[in-house]
Amino acid sequence: MDIHTPKICLCIDFFFWLMSHAMSTRLVWRDDCNRSSLTSSKSVRLHTTLLDLNCCSPTLLSLHSTTSSFLHSHSQDHSLFHKYACVCFYPHTAMDIPHTNTANIADSRSSKSSKSTKECIQPPQHCKKELCDIDYSQDPPRILSNYLVHAPKPFNAEPHLPLLVNSGNITPTDVFFKRNHGPIPDIRLDDHRVYIGVQHSLQGSQGQPAVVEWKVLNMSDIMNKWPKATITASLQCAGNRREGLAQVKEVKGVIWKAGTISNAVWSGPRLCDILRSTASVPEDLHHEMIRNFHVSFEADDHVKEDACYGSSIPLRKAMDPLGDVILAYEMNGQPLTRDHGYPLRVIVPGYIGARSVKFLQKIVVQPQESSSFFQKLDYKILPPWIDGSNVDSAWDTAAPLGEMNVQCVICTPMDKEVIMSSKPVTVKGYAISGGGRAIYRVELSVDGGKTWVPVDKIEQIPDKVSGMYWAWALWEKKVLKIHTTSQLVARAYDSSGNMQPEFPIWNYRGVMNNAWYRVSNVTQMPQPNI
């Protein structure tokens, strides 16, 4: 039999280079399959195949002898041996030894390898880091003058209210509020993968952990395989206006003022399209799965409270064609910035911002809510008798927050502002509600809430496709004169008749404060003639 010795020698050299490289870096090398599931039986099959090929050539016999010795002396690395032998040895033997049945062996092995790879997709697992190991040194630069910074690490900041409202209906990226629980990851677009899983039951057979069937997408898949949708939606932190509740009683969390809301144009595929294609979610919106299941999201990041940031929403929200949940890779017509979730984030319009997970890496359709800290032990309205002394036993008694409540804020003038003009003052602000509900009335009082008048102008634009009101309403009211003793108060009503309470309703986490918004001690002074 004619064997091309140079090609075989090259194969041998390449094989042992790969093996030595794998051995020298095996602590950081990651197999696509679970290594513990690869038993010695695969190595035995490989060993047998090499024996079948012995008769072909002294060169192959030498290779078999050497690899057999390697196999027996490194039994703990069978998975490495099997992986690299398949890569560099079998294609050459199948091509160079036509008188054996190696072509069938290679085809069979290729088929099994393809099937095994599909079955063995496993997303990366995150481990919680100690606070001292969380690195903020790679955070992106920001225009700090635009913000009231509440914490530098992690970076949490809200824009000044006059800047926010005067920036217009679409908030510029460098004005949009910043809410983080850890450092900003530095992710390469070409390297990023999104893992989509389906878990059909709460637990596996015979008490084993529940099985999740995974598929994996790259960013090219996300950007090209499904139609690109564009929606305009406001995101609002559930802790917006926490300061008002902190004035009642101590709360837990960043003491936000009223600027943790912004509005942007988001673009990317609809989540419902992706889940129908990759997770076989039924199209029938009345199906039991859609009624009872959830979609959980996990980020490719590290946070203080958990291994990574995670959250979930009901599957019925994700699959609702009017729900407009998208996987956004663009913000205001440009790729997402790192601060806002690059390269991919979920946008769940009408819901609190905590559900629009940034740096998206995992999506799982499952029968239970996310087990993340941020779903189970945060973002809930706890009863007023719950505080730091008894909160641990209360989390499971409260429902996780979803849709926003109706909200209204005066952005300008601000508390204690001095207005150097005798001309009428234009009061400006924003209003919003959850669930796609419109703001149909905003009222302003200049006497602390004794009398009310409707505002002059409300601008709120529905989504062009769904008709839902995901974006905020910007409003204005011209006031002829503001007296020093005046207290400005604003309140809004949404299209379902929801209205704001007069006073704050305290809760330990300080979330969803939507009491009437008040501005006091504004002084209007005539500008002197110079």
Side-chain angles (χ1 to χ4, degrees), residues 130-320:
E130 298 295 331
L131 289 179
C132 60
D133 294 329
I134 297 180
D135 180 16
Y136 292 90
S137 64
Q138 301 303 311
D139 272 17
R142 292 108 175 177
I143 304 176
L144 297 182
S145 60
N146 287 348
Y147 295 98
L148 172 62
V149 179
H150 293 281
K153 297 178 182 180
F155 188 79
N156 285 296
E158 59 183 298
H160 303 292
L161 286 176
L163 175 63
L164 176 65
V165 74
N166 289 324
S167 293
N169 183 49
I170 304 302
T171 310
T173 303
D174 56 7
V175 175
F176 208 100
F177 77 95
K178 308 288 194 292
R179 177 64 173 119
N180 297 296
H181 293 270
I184 308 301
D186 192 2
I187 302 172
R188 283 174 46 86
L189 182 74
D190 292 341
D191 295 340
H192 191 60
R193 298 293 181 268
V194 178
Y195 296 84
I196 300 179
V198 181
Q199 175 189 327
H200 292 285
S201 60
L202 288 172
Q203 65 178 26
S205 59
Q206 299 179 347
Q208 296 297 313
V211 175
V212 178
E213 302 167 3
W214 293 100
K215 293 185 180 180
V216 61
L217 302 174
N218 58 37
M219 285 304 299
S220 177
D221 297 329
I222 296 289
M223 293 174 162
N224 298 300
K225 283 192 173 182
W226 295 276
K228 177 182 177 181
T230 296
I231 64 169
T232 302
S234 299
L235 297 185
Q236 179 180 213
C237 178
N240 195 28
R241 300 183 60 193
R242 183 174 285 134
E243 180 186 49
L245 298 182
Q247 293 170 353
V248 176
K249 187 179 175 181
E250 181 182 0
V251 295
K252 178 186 177 184
V254 179
I255 306 302
W256 298 108
K257 293 182 180 293
T260 49
I261 181 173
S262 299
N263 191 50
V265 179
W266 311 94
S267 297
R270 296 182 186 277
L271 180 58
C272 59
D273 291 342
I274 294 177
L275 292 183
R276 288 193 190 100
S277 299
T278 62
S280 301
V281 174
E283 292 192 16
D284 180 7
L285 297 180
H286 298 94
H287 192 279
E288 180 181 5
M289 183 183 197
I290 294 179
R291 185 176 70 244
N292 297 332
F293 275 47
H294 304 260
V295 186
S296 74
F297 309 108
E298 284 190 11
D300 184 11
D301 66 356
H302 296 284
V303 296
K304 297 189 302 179
E305 301 88 345
D306 208 337
C308 64
Y309 189 89
S311 192
S312 65
I313 61 173
L315 181 58
R316 60 181 179 272
K317 166 66 174 176
M319 301 307 295
D320 183 353

Side-chain angles (χ1 to χ4, degrees), residues 33 78 90 94-95 129 162 164 191 194 206 243 330 345 373 460 484-485 491 499 512-513 517:
C33 299
H78 287 169
Y90 286 110
M95 176 175 61
K129 286 191 172 185
L164 176 65
D191 295 340
V194 178
Q206 299 179 347
E243 180 186 49
E330 289 181 1
R345 73 175 300 169
F373 172 93
Q460 187 179 30
T484 305
T485 57
R491 65 186 183 187
M499 61 187 73
M512 305 291 271
N513 178 21
Y517 193 87

Side-chain angles (χ1 to χ4, degrees), residues 64-81:
H64 167 255
S65 176
T66 306
T67 52
S68 296
S69 299
F70 180 88
L71 180 63
H72 291 300
S73 62
H74 296 83
S75 58
Q76 71 273 26
D77 290 298
H78 287 169
S79 60
L80 293 176
F81 182 89

